[in-house]
Amino acid sequence: MHSWVRTHEQHPVARMCPLSQGCVLFNWRTRCPTPPNPPSGLSASVSGSTVNLSWTASTGTPTPTGYTVYRGTTSGGPYSTTVVSGLTATTYANTSVANGTYYYVVTGFVGGLISTITNSGGTTATVTCTTTCTFPTNIVTGK
């Protein structure tokens, strides 16, 4: 349930938005803050049990103050594991990842405003982590 605000009941162009989005009054109009655009071009590579992620910074206004990396085990989500939040760089190494197939997404944020996740913008990366098993040589088996 949202609380709504209208700047002026009689104003024909007054717009409504949830107070939870930090609406502000401006020139008898309601202005809801805009979240940042999502980052794009997320890619991943695997080295041992480390997943190295990189992406292209969000463009437009507002500029994100940080990025959050999420991970899930199902394509399309949910991405229920928050890997890291508050990153200012556009790279991250997720270490000690267990074997499995993982789907990563990255969002940008400014305060409580979070960008969307969009597959068409290249913000989903799929990786499969596997450990190579090596066996000792010259094993003698007994009966």
Side-chain angles (χ1 to χ4, degrees), residues 52-119:
N52 296 297
L53 301 162
S54 64
W55 58 91
T56 302
S58 301
T59 59
T61 302
T63 302
T65 55
Y67 296 97
T68 302
V69 176
Y70 300 93
R71 183 178 73 204
T73 55
T74 305
S75 178
Y79 304 103
S80 54
T81 301
T82 301
V83 177
V84 65
S85 187
L87 291 173
T88 55
T90 56
T91 60
Y92 181 73
N94 188 194
T95 59
S96 302
V97 179
N99 288 350
T101 299
Y102 300 98
Y103 303 87
Y104 287 84
V105 294
V106 178
T107 60
F109 64 86
V110 175
L113 299 172
I114 302 168
S115 72
T116 59
I117 295 171
T118 170
N119 293 340

Side-chain angles (χ1 to χ4, degrees), residues 3-5 15-24 30-33:
S3 296
W4 296 85
V5 63
R15 200 172 74 138
M16 294 179 70
C17 71
L19 283 174
S20 62
Q21 290 183 6
C23 296
V24 293
T30 303
R31 207 176 237 193
C32 295

